[in-house]
Amino acid sequence: MKFLDEYRDGPAATRIARAIGRIVTRPWTIMEVCGGQTHAIVRYGLDSLLPPEVELVHGPGCPVCVTPLETIDRAHTIANRPEVIFCSFGDMLRVPGSNGDLLRLKSQGCDVRVVYSPLDAVNLAGANPHRMVVFFAIGFETTAPANAMAAWMAKKRGLTNFSMLVSHVLVPPAIAAILEPPDNRVQAFIGPGHVCTVMGSGEYQSLAEKYRVPIVIAGFEPLDLLESILGAVEQLEVGRAEVENRYARAVREDGNPRSRQLIADVFEVCDRKWRGVGTIPRSGYRLRDEYRDHDTEHLFAVRDIETRESAVCISGDILRGLKKPHQCPAFGKQCTPHTPLGATMVSSEGACAAYHQYGKLEPLGIAAKVDPA
Amino acid sequence: MSSFGECPISRFDYDRILLGHGSGGRLTSELIGKLFLPAFGGSPLAALEDAATLDIGMGSRLAFTTDAFVVRPIFFPGGDIGRLAVCGTINDLSVAGAVPRFLSAAFILEEGLALDDLRRIADSMQLACDEAGVELVTGDTKVVDRGKGDQVFITTTGIGLVPQGRSLSIANAKPGDRILVSGTIGDHGVAILSVREGIEFETLLESDVAPLNRLTELLMTECPSIRCMRDPTRGGVAGVLNELAVASRVEVRVTESSLPIRPEVRAACEMLGLDPMYVANEGKLLAVVPGEDADRLLSVARQHPLGRNAALIGSVVSGRLGLVTMQSLVGGERLVPVLAGEQLPRIC
């Protein structure tokens, strides 16, 4: 397939991996922020191609994983109402709340539907004027334009039965939150390609300067990722800390101005709680006041929710890059994709699920390289 | 911190049937293992083959299988629920090494179903029977209230004869064996999904639904050393390979670059975030064969219209028992596990 096969070429991958091996002189810890990148790294076994000095840790970039438990419980409470058609992206369905997941609610008769686009949910509201359609609008900057468009369309069409439960999060404040604490291990970032397609590479400049950290923006194919790891190691080895765009076929410095304008028209920046991490100031979007008629939290008064997190789950440490999935005592035992204790085990973009799915239970090819150290 | 003794899992264990219980993944195996097997026992059932092989005396053996079909929409590109119901049961018999002979069909019809639609389905079933040289000899019809069924559900049961000397089993694979797939993977599942989700491509995506008995007969005749065959329906190729690895106590190693996948199917899977290894097929088989016979089996398969795109996709090794591993396109290594439930499309 054009524009894909070129970026999945085996010999080219080996060449880049060797180039990394030639220039690396000491251990470096690099974090990929985006869950899609985590998935690709593990799916293609890229970490098994890297020299042992380069350690990849996996960041908080899975929107499903970082959605707070209270919000998930609130979603479940709303989905339980008979008048509601509750719409969500597919991988949100198995995320455990305090009392089970959306799949369980569906089996109990709640009207829960998977949509591929938020605009499908808007159309559903148009076709079902006597039902309340609620769309679970989660995601990073990548999904924000489409979600903003849904609210904009619903307002334009006067669909009073369409609302969104918004739990949007933003990447730059999360990167700052990872770099701030003294126990941070991350020395360079693989930047989130899709987020930058919307927002541009410009807003990462100040992060690279303030924290003296290289940020290499990458795509999602094996060669994209290996190239960007090479770029990060090159910078680290010579002591540079710059924003480097290695996804130039999609990312411009100012991103996609029309999408950014739409986001700004519909959403405003707010403080947001991240599951496993805590509240990060100015790290999320909420609907602007003009859109309160389409704001689920405004329409449905849900009483205070008491949440129950698993006591053994270490997804917070995993999302901050302090620990890896197989360092969790519950990993692969009590906690599997079938019986997830935390959200990082549910979405295929979650680090725990990716490790479990693609064989990091016992490291396969890398065992021999890692053990002697 | 709670101790590991008190298991926190139980609150996520489901006490009702979920859609995932019908996915052919881990939830399905759990349902069979924890509910049906304890209830029914029986050694031919416990073998969990696609068809039970029964000794009926005088050296004759029967293969016996049943399958229920629910599909939305009931007419889809490349087939319909009737063709699916006939082919599915024929294929379960065929991959057991049997020659399918007789079928039964039971229809659960929803009040209001158009007779024209039912007629089309019946005609399509007869056509598939003719194609396979199988007779539909008995049947039953029930009607349920409008809203209590989804237009039509069909259950077919089939009987076949197992020629002397044939003994195929999912537990037969040995290190050194190779694995053949008879054609492109994921066609059926993606065709259904594309009509359900309204995804359009420049070329029409068609289901591969077809009776495999003539192909299996050709393969068994030309290559009697075949150890086992399976049709990778629900759960896809990955599901069957995992069953094989566990039942035969071997590691199955797949080479990603050798998987035959139609470009449209790949494109659809890329868009929806699905892995074609887990997508259903209805006219494909996997065969395990001793290494020395693999190339011959491949050339025999490719002579048959249903095996034109056959490929050798992996091998059996002794390594990590019970696991399926894959060498990725770029040379990295990973596991190919059984899915927990249904494949969930990713958010972005």
Side-chain angles (χ1 to χ4, degrees):
Chain A
M1 218 179 310
K2 207 160 162 42
F3 301 121
L4 281 183
D5 293 338
E6 302 90 317
Y7 299 98
R8 296 177 183 175
D9 180 60
T14 312
R15 275 199 302 279
I16 303 170
R18 286 206 185 116
I20 298 170
R22 274 197 301 275
I23 60 163
V24 73
T25 62
R26 55 195 161 118
W28 297 112
T29 302
I30 302 173
M31 173 181 275
E32 83 282 353
V33 180
C34 176
Q37 292 169 336
T38 304
H39 184 88
I41 285 168
V42 187
R43 184 191 183 292
Y44 289 102
L46 299 185
D47 43 356
S48 72
L49 301 175
L50 295 175
E53 291 88 346
V54 178
E55 184 192 0
L56 295 180
V57 292
H58 316 299
C62 164
V64 169
C65 305
V66 299
T67 301
L69 190 55
E70 296 92 298
T71 308
I72 291 167
D73 286 350
R74 181 166 293 132
H76 292 180
T77 308
I78 292 165
N80 229 329
R81 297 184 178 216
E83 76 274 23
V84 166
I85 301 177
F86 194 88
C87 302
S88 165
F89 292 129
D91 44 4
M92 203 68 208
L93 260 59
R94 269 199 299 123
V95 176
S98 297
N99 295 295
D101 55 25
L102 284 168
L103 285 175
R104 172 182 289 200
L105 288 178
K106 189 163 180 274
S107 79
Q108 289 167 353
C110 298
D111 196 346
V112 176
R113 306 196 192 180
V114 172
V115 292
Y116 291 91
S117 156
L119 297 180
D120 293 346
V122 175
N123 290 333
L124 209 54
N128 295 277
H130 303 299
R131 305 281 302 277
M132 295 297 283
V133 173
V134 175
F135 175 69
F136 203 173
I138 64 159
F140 282 89
E141 294 92 323
T142 325
T143 48
N147 290 349
M149 177 59 90
W152 186 84
M153 290 276 288
K155 189 176 166 71
K156 190 169 163 233
R157 288 172 61 180
L159 294 172
T160 51
N161 63 331
F162 174 85
S163 69
M164 304 202 308
L165 180 59
V166 179
S167 188
H168 260 289
V169 279
L170 304 173
V171 171
I175 289 185
I178 287 163
L179 291 170
E180 204 63 58
D183 61 348
N184 162 54
R185 300 177 55 226
V186 180
Q187 294 161 299
F189 285 90
I190 306 301
H194 287 159
V195 168
C196 293
T197 307
V198 176
M199 304 304 286
S201 55
E203 60 176 3
Y204 292 85
Q205 207 62 53
S206 57
L207 283 170
E209 283 163 17
K210 179 175 177 193
Y211 296 99
R212 298 276 316 140
V213 62
I215 301 175
V216 184
I217 294 162
F220 296 78
E221 296 303 323
L223 295 197
D224 287 323
L225 288 159
L226 286 169
E227 275 279 350
S228 65
I229 294 165
L230 175 63
V233 173
E234 278 170 356
Q235 288 203 41
L236 288 166
E237 286 287 340
V238 299
R240 282 190 292 133
E242 295 161 9
V243 175
E244 197 178 325
N245 180 6
R246 295 232 179 182
Y247 196 30
R249 68 183 185 281
V251 173
R252 299 199 188 113
E253 199 182 342
D254 62 345
N256 181 333
R258 288 188 67 182
S259 293
R260 291 173 63 182
Q261 188 56 52
L262 181 64
I263 293 172
D265 289 345
V266 176
F267 292 125
E268 62 190 4
V269 173
C270 63
D271 296 351
R272 177 74 69 203
K273 189 171 174 187
W274 295 52
R275 189 172 191 174
V277 177
T279 300
I280 304 177
R282 301 184 57 75
S283 69
Y285 285 139
R286 67 173 170 228
L287 284 168
R288 286 186 176 280
D289 250 3
E290 302 93 285
Y291 285 88
R292 63 186 300 174
D293 290 346
H294 300 287
D295 189 340
T296 305
E297 298 200 57
H298 177 68
L299 295 184
F300 294 84
V302 177
R303 279 197 309 278
D304 278 353
I305 286 173
E306 201 182 312
T307 57
R308 285 191 295 155
E309 280 279 16
S310 157
V312 284
C313 177
I314 61 162
S315 60
D317 287 348
I318 290 166
L319 292 171
R320 292 171 57 214
L322 299 178
K323 288 201 172 138
K324 291 212 171 186
H326 57 258
Q327 291 169 329
C328 174
F331 178 75
K333 299 187 183 87
Q334 295 105 313
C335 186
T336 70
H338 179 30
T339 54
L341 296 185
T344 41
M345 188 52 105
V346 176
S347 166
S348 60
E349 294 182 12
C352 295
Y355 267 53
H356 198 276
Q357 172 153 10
Y358 293 133
K360 299 297 175 214
L361 203 56
E362 301 161 56
L364 296 174
I366 57 173
K369 284 187 214 162
V370 172
D371 285 347
Chain B
M1 191 164 160
S2 70
S3 81
F4 289 130
E6 49 181 292
C7 174
I9 294 172
S10 52
R11 65 190 168 109
F12 300 115
D13 255 350
Y14 302 107
D15 53 1
R16 285 167 194 268
I17 288 292
L18 307 187
L19 276 176
H21 283 114
S23 68
R26 183 159 290 147
L27 281 175
T28 310
S29 348
E30 278 194 15
L31 189 65
I32 295 171
K34 291 185 180 165
L35 196 147
F36 286 127
L37 281 185
F40 300 132
S43 62
L45 180 66
L48 296 180
E49 297 283 351
D50 282 349
T53 306
L54 307 167
D55 208 326
I56 53 164
M58 295 172 296
S60 298
R61 282 183 306 150
L62 283 185
F64 185 41
T65 192
T66 189
D67 218 333
F69 296 85
V70 294
V71 63
R72 184 170 46 88
I74 55 175
F75 299 101
F76 48 82
D80 56 80
I81 189 169
R83 183 173 172 81
L84 196 63
V86 168
C87 295
T89 290
I90 287 175
N91 292 347
D92 280 348
L93 294 172
S94 307
V95 294
V99 179
R101 295 292 299 276
F102 304 109
L103 292 187
S104 75
F107 296 84
I108 296 174
L109 307 172
E110 186 187 6
E111 181 186 26
L113 175 71
L115 279 183
D116 273 350
D117 285 348
L118 188 57
R119 197 170 293 121
R120 259 177 85 188
I121 291 168
D123 289 347
S124 160
M125 291 175 79
Q126 185 55 48
L127 212 64
C129 285
D130 292 346
E131 223 174 298
V134 172
E135 275 184 279
L136 205 160
V137 292
T138 181
D140 184 44
T141 308
K142 296 282 187 293
V143 179
V144 295
D145 291 333
R146 187 187 280 271
K148 297 285 165 63
D150 196 356
Q151 294 178 284
V152 51
F153 301 146
I154 305 176
T155 298
T156 52
T157 300
I159 290 179
L161 297 174
V162 186
Q164 291 239 317
R166 273 188 203 173
S167 168
L168 302 181
S169 164
I170 190 101
N172 280 352
K174 299 196 170 40
D177 289 354
R178 305 279 302 276
I179 293 155
L180 173 135
V181 65
S182 64
T184 51
I185 65 173
D187 299 0
H188 175 75
V190 168
I192 297 284
L193 209 60
S194 68
V195 275
R196 227 182 257 173
E197 305 301 337
I199 303 161
E200 285 172 27
F201 292 89
E202 285 170 13
T203 49
L204 185 65
L205 268 168
E206 288 202 332
S207 164
D208 56 351
V209 55
L212 289 166
N213 57 323
R214 305 209 188 265
L215 175 62
T216 53
E217 214 34 48
L218 175 72
L219 297 180
M220 288 301 303
T221 313
E222 294 293 319
C223 202
S225 61
I226 288 176
R227 307 225 199 249
C228 80
M229 295 186 285
R230 277 283 167 121
D231 57 334
T233 53
R234 287 175 317 176
V237 170
V240 170
L241 294 180
N242 272 286
E243 280 180 58
L244 181 73
V246 170
S248 294
R249 298 188 48 76
V250 291
E251 177 182 336
V252 175
R253 309 199 66 162
V254 182
T255 315
E256 187 171 18
S257 58
S258 68
L259 294 171
I261 305 174
R262 288 169 57 177
E264 312 87 282
V265 171
R266 260 186 74 191
C269 287
E270 289 287 344
M271 271 174 54
L272 298 171
L274 302 177
D275 185 340
M277 285 284 282
Y278 296 93
V279 179
N281 310 273
E282 290 293 344
K284 298 290 153 44
L285 63 84
L286 289 166
V288 182
V289 67
E292 61 269 25
D293 297 330
D295 290 329
R296 195 160 53 85
L297 184 71
L298 181 64
S299 64
V300 171
R302 283 182 172 170
Q303 287 160 23
H304 192 277
L306 292 178
R308 262 197 324 271
N309 298 313
L312 295 167
I313 59 166
S315 51
V316 177
V317 295
S318 49
R320 286 151 292 193
L321 307 184
L323 294 183
V324 180
T325 56
M326 177 182 273
Q327 188 181 32
S328 80
L329 288 177
V330 295
E333 202 183 0
R334 64 162 162 111
L335 271 191
V336 182
V338 184
L339 279 195
E342 298 206 82
Q343 276 203 93
L344 297 173
R346 283 167 50 199
I347 172 169
C348 57

